Each structure stands twice: as C-alpha cells, then as structure tokens.
Amino acid sequence: TELLQYPTIAELANYLDTKPEEEVKELMISPAAEAEYYPLSSAQMRLFIHNQMVGGTAYNLPSVLVIEGKLDVEKVKTSLQKLVDRHEPLRTSFHLIRGQYMQKIHDHVDIKLNYVESEEDSFNDKYLEDFIRPFNLTKAPLIRAMLIQFPNYRYALLLDMHHIVSDRASMIIVTREFAELYEGRPLSDLLIQYKDYAVLQKGFLETQVLKRQEEYWLNIYKDKLPSMVLETDYPKKQDQNLEGKLLFYKFNEEFKERIIKYSSTNGITRNMLFFAVYNLMLWKWTGSEDVCVGTSILGRNFKEVENVVGMFVNTLAIRNYLEDHKNFSEFVSEIKKSLINAYANQDYPYEILVKKLSERFGKNTGTLFKTMFIMQNQDYPELPLSEIKAKPYYIASNTRFDLQFDAIESENGDLSFCFTYSPELYKTETIEKLLELYTKILDKGIRYPELSLFELCSKKE
C-alpha cells in the first residue's frame, strides 16, 4: 500500500520517518502462549458460520497436479505427512467450547492417501466428482489426498482442503513444499503458525489502528447501503447449485501492449485498470450509479507468515459512484485512490463491518455486494522436481457470488480474464455479452481516455 501511495524513494522515506511509532509496535507478531484451544480469526469465524448455513462443498479448495514420470508412491505419502506435521492448520479441528467457537491443534494426525489405478489416458473432471465431498470441521485433518495412476507413468495428485484452514497462497505453499519434500530437500523451520496470527488479531481489534480503519469503512456506508442489483436469467433457488462454469478471454499481444503502455503512462497498476473497467461494465449492465464490488486482499502483512498455511484473506467491499460527465482517465484515477484507501484500511474484518452496518440500519445486510473481482498474479511456481514433471490442472471454482471476474497476469506476462458464473443463474450467451462489453469498454477507454463515461458506455452503439 505504501509503495502505491508513495511511488518515489524520497516520498517513501519521508512517510517511514513520520509513521507513528505506536502503530509499528501494534503490528508485531510473536508465538502465542500454549493452550488447549485457540480463538478463531475473523475470517475463520465468517467461514465457519457460512459453512453451517450453506453446507456441502461451497468452501472446499481442491487442486490437482498432473505428473509425468516414474513416481515413488511411498515418497508421496511421506511428503504429505510431513506437510501435515509441519503446518498446524492441516491438523486443526473446530469446536464449540463454553459458547464460543474455538480451534484445537492436534499433536499428530495421519493423512490417508487414496490410491487408484485407471485405464484411461489422462485426468479429467469426472474424477473430482467423488473426490470433492464435505468436510466435518470437528474432525482433523481438513485435508484429503488421492493419487491416480494412468498408463505410461502418468499420474494425478488430488488435494482438497477446507477454506477455513487454507487460501490460494496456502495452496501454492503446499504445492511448492510438497515438491521440496519429495526431493528430500530440508525446509526452514516455521517460527510462527496460524494460531499466533489468530491470537494477535483478537487483540489487534482493540487497537487505535483498527478503530481508525473502522471509521473509514463506516463512513463509506454512512448514509445508505448499496443498491445495485444484478439481474439473472433464471430465478434463484433456495438450494442453488454452487458449481461454477468458466468463460475465458486472453488478450492478444497488440491489446496487451496497449494495456501495459496505458498503465505505465498513467501510473496505475493493471489491477486498478481492470477493476475500473469492471465497474463501468456493471454500471452499463445494471444502470446503477452506486456500484459496489467485492475484492480480496492477501492479508499476509507480516513477513513471518509468508510461508504459513492458513486463511489470511480479507474481503474489501469497494464502493464507487459513476457519473456521466467524468471522463475515463478521471474515473481510473478515482478508482486508484479508492483502492489505495481500501488497501490502507485492509485489516478491518469484512464480517465485522457487515455486523456493524446491520446494527446501524436495523436489518441483516447479508452481504454488501453480489459480484467479486479477483486479481490473480500469484501463479503456481515451476516445481523443482528432478525426475518427474508436474503442472497444475485448472479447476472451476464454486460460485459463492452471483458473478465472479478474475483478471489473470501470469508469470510469463500473459494477460487474460475469466468469468465464473452459475449456469443455474445465467445463460452462456449472457456472459458472452458481458465479456464483449468488458473488452469493448477497455479497448475504447485506453484508446480515447478523454471520452466521457456517457460517451464511452452510451446505450447507443
């Protein structure tokens, strides 16, 4: 956040010199005192409650590694067990203790590796149907594994973790460390575990830092709640199927270079540009000038937790107002400011904001947004395996929101985006029209940034 706010070395140095000392002290993390049970973090509490409401596999995080070469099955089992021994969340269960939800870390939990031989040539989605099933949060481990062997030394390693103990960054950590352990390479000790973060956060909520952040978010929603409505092709059901469907778009080289040039010239990130255009697309689609979009933040603000498995992600509800007379360039600058402000106040838990707003407006707000924007620039790393090759297999995620938009920037520089939607809510042709609308606004905006939003998103094509 500071690098976005203070782009020059002089500005950043001045900021660090003037940053309040007590704010720095409040951000220190250290090992928690040993206990039988530990508190849940705010994100874990949110997921625990949502999991009870929705149930099923809504919060499962499956991943697949497709492997070629002579695989040592015993080494796979040993490496997975070492991962569970290393990361406390993978041997954690959740319980109601004296009226409070708590987490219990088990000293040792065995992970089972289901082994299956298949006569088919390669992995496909049908294998996921039996593998992905609900977790019982009171039973550790909240990770399961399966190894499928295909002819000619081809394999698929399936892992599934519950979101309450994992996030995307954790999945990348697990994948990378599995490869290191399989190769017999030692891993550096973890001085901090997820429980230490959860305990710190509980005290952090009472600090002045969080009180200032609370003021920021409550001020964003001081007058009224967001009113944007996403129309669906089919009515929502009580038992809505959460299985998502994907629609991808990859930018060609010419389009990509123009995006990069516009971002660089105007001092914005691709995230800011793509997010601005998503707001414009929603404005034109819904007709609402009060646009609220959810986005996730990594939440790993301590160097000590960079390699720690756990649920660190926080959700930010970004609210923007669109007006016809603003031009594209001005609006992108507003989005930049809006995102930087949100990132500066990213530690305030989204679920507490929703609770506070429910109290303020006298009704259960549920959620502040119906659509999610995700910037994915965390690729699965190239795995350091000597005698086998492994690469991730892309899986469609569950649709926990009416519509999800992922902007993807890969390690090799490719730019693409993806809509995740429920076929029980939207026809494919509707999403295809949104894809076309999004690319049209983006193309027109970076070509003619002085165009007013009315001209850019005019109903008259």
Side-chain angles (χ1 to χ4, degrees):
T1 306
E2 283 84 359
L3 290 174
L4 294 173
Q5 288 178 289
Y6 310 102
T8 69
I9 293 175
E11 288 174 323
L12 185 60
N14 181 62
Y15 163 75
L16 292 174
D17 285 341
T18 58
K19 189 174 182 179
E21 189 178 344
E22 69 273 10
E23 189 168 322
V24 177
K25 286 180 180 176
E26 286 175 335
L27 296 176
M28 300 295 286
I29 186 169
S30 58
E34 196 170 327
E36 185 178 1
Y37 296 97
Y38 296 91
L40 274 61
S41 69
S42 294
Q44 285 181 316
M45 184 63 76
R46 177 178 79 241
L47 286 169
F48 195 100
I49 293 169
H50 285 193
N51 188 78
Q52 287 183 312
M53 292 167 52
V54 178
T57 60
Y59 292 99
N60 285 43
L61 294 179
S63 62
V64 177
L65 273 182
V66 176
I67 301 168
E68 291 184 11
K70 292 185 178 181
L71 194 67
D72 188 325
V73 177
E74 284 305 313
K75 278 170 69 175
V76 172
K77 290 180 183 177
T78 303
S79 301
L80 290 173
Q81 186 62 55
K82 285 180 179 178
L83 280 171
V84 174
D85 295 340
R86 173 176 169 80
H87 293 284
E88 290 179 353
L90 301 183
R91 45 189 168 86
T92 294
S93 56
F94 296 82
H95 309 272
L96 185 63
I97 306 296
R98 293 183 290 277
Q100 290 191 359
Y101 291 115
M102 305 289 283
Q103 54 184 317
K104 179 180 177 63
I105 299 161
H106 301 262
D107 292 334
H108 178 81
V109 173
D110 290 321
I111 181 171
K112 294 178 182 177
L113 177 66
N114 291 329
Y115 180 76
V116 176
E117 292 184 1
S118 173
E119 295 181 357
E120 295 194 30
D121 291 334
S122 60
F123 181 81
N124 58 63
D125 285 351
K126 76 174 186 180
Y127 291 102
L128 294 168
E129 293 176 9
D130 293 329
F131 177 68
I132 301 174
R133 57 190 189 278
F135 283 101
N136 179 350
L137 299 187
T138 66
K139 303 287 184 184
L142 296 179
I143 177 174
R144 62 174 63 100
M146 175 186 283
L147 184 66
I148 305 172
Q149 180 173 356
F150 302 97
N152 301 318
Y153 300 110
R154 290 194 178 98
Y155 302 84
L157 178 61
L158 287 65
L159 298 177
D160 194 12
M161 294 180 279
H162 197 280
H163 206 349
I164 201 167
V165 297
S166 181
D167 54 19
R168 179 174 170 79
S170 298
M171 293 164 73
I172 293 173
I173 291 167
V174 165
T175 303
R176 184 186 67 238
E177 291 191 353
F178 165 78
E180 296 283 5
L181 291 167
Y182 182 87
E183 290 290 306
R185 300 190 186 102
L187 298 173
S188 57
D189 292 339
L190 292 175
L191 302 178
I192 295 296
Q193 292 276 359
Y194 186 81
K195 70 174 186 302
D196 306 320
Y197 166 79
V199 170
L200 172 79
Q201 189 192 57
K202 191 173 178 63
F204 192 41
L205 293 174
E206 303 303 318
T207 64
Q208 287 302 313
V209 176
L210 259 289
K211 285 182 170 57
R212 288 196 295 272
Q213 292 193 20
E214 180 177 81
E215 287 176 13
Y216 169 81
W217 287 109
L218 291 178
N219 187 56
I220 296 289
Y221 299 94
K222 63 180 179 181
D223 296 324
K224 61 177 182 176
L225 296 172
S227 56
M228 185 179 73
V229 176
L230 299 184
E231 291 186 11
T232 59
D233 294 321
Y234 309 110
K236 286 189 180 182
K237 304 174 186 173
Q238 201 86 54
D239 55 343
Q240 190 76 43
N241 186 347
L242 297 169
E243 187 176 338
K245 199 171 179 181
L246 303 175
L247 188 62
F248 272 99
Y249 176 89
K250 183 178 179 181
F251 294 99
N252 60 38
E253 280 299 311
E254 187 270 335
F255 203 163
K256 184 184 83 173
E257 290 305 317
R258 285 193 292 111
I259 290 169
I260 293 171
K261 183 179 178 181
Y262 181 88
S263 302
S264 176
T265 303
N266 292 276
I268 59 169
T269 63
R270 253 81 76 194
N271 177 41
M272 293 167 179
L273 176 60
F274 291 147
F275 187 79
V277 174
Y278 193 59
N279 276 258
L280 289 170
M281 184 208 78
L282 291 169
W283 177 49
K284 179 166 183 179
W285 182 36
T286 66
S288 174
E289 295 180 348
D290 180 3
V291 177
C292 189
V293 179
T295 191
S296 62
I297 195 84
L298 197 58
R300 294 171 183 259
N301 296 327
F302 306 96
K303 186 175 178 14
E304 295 89 342
V305 301
E306 284 179 355
N307 295 313
V308 172
V309 167
M311 173 49 178
F312 290 92
V313 174
N314 190 24
T315 300
L316 307 177
I318 313 292
R319 190 178 198 176
N320 291 290
Y321 297 92
L322 292 93
E323 299 170 284
D324 287 342
H325 62 84
K326 296 175 185 174
N327 66 34
F328 181 76
S329 187
E330 290 169 339
F331 181 66
V332 172
S333 295
E334 282 187 14
I335 288 291
K336 175 180 178 178
K337 183 179 178 181
S338 178
L339 287 174
I340 287 175
N341 287 338
Y343 297 156
N345 294 278
Q346 64 176 277
D347 301 304
Y348 190 70
Y350 170 72
E351 55 276 3
I352 295 181
L353 173 62
V354 171
K355 182 182 177 183
K356 293 273 185 181
L357 293 176
S358 296
E359 293 169 357
R360 172 181 287 184
F361 292 100
K363 63 176 180 178
N364 184 5
T365 63
T367 183
L368 298 172
F369 54 86
K370 298 296 183 184
T371 181
M372 192 82 173
F373 174 96
I374 306 288
M375 184 72 196
Q376 284 193 28
N377 46 22
Q378 267 192 309
D379 245 353
Y380 280 87
E382 189 172 331
L383 299 178
L385 296 163
S386 55
E387 296 181 1
I388 59 174
K389 294 180 181 179
K391 62 180 182 180
Y393 177 92
Y394 200 92
I395 302 172
S397 60
N398 287 332
T399 53
R400 303 182 191 103
F401 304 93
D402 288 2
L403 189 66
Q404 179 171 314
F405 180 93
D406 288 63
I408 306 161
E409 188 166 13
S410 64
E411 282 189 343
N412 64 9
D414 286 340
L415 294 177
S416 57
F417 63 79
C418 170
F419 280 102
T420 304
Y421 65 99
S422 168
E424 291 193 2
L425 289 179
Y426 294 105
K427 299 175 183 176
T428 300
E429 43 267 45
T430 299
I431 307 302
E432 287 173 343
K433 287 177 183 176
L434 290 180
L435 184 151
E436 183 183 356
L437 176 59
Y438 183 92
T439 53
K440 190 178 291 185
I441 293 172
L442 175 59
D443 181 45
K444 205 171 173 183
I446 60 178
R447 283 182 189 274
Y448 312 106
E450 298 309 312
L451 279 180
S452 71
L453 299 187
F454 175 78
E455 294 171 307
L456 186 68
C457 300
S458 172
K459 302 290 182 184
K460 298 176 183 177
E461 295 293 346

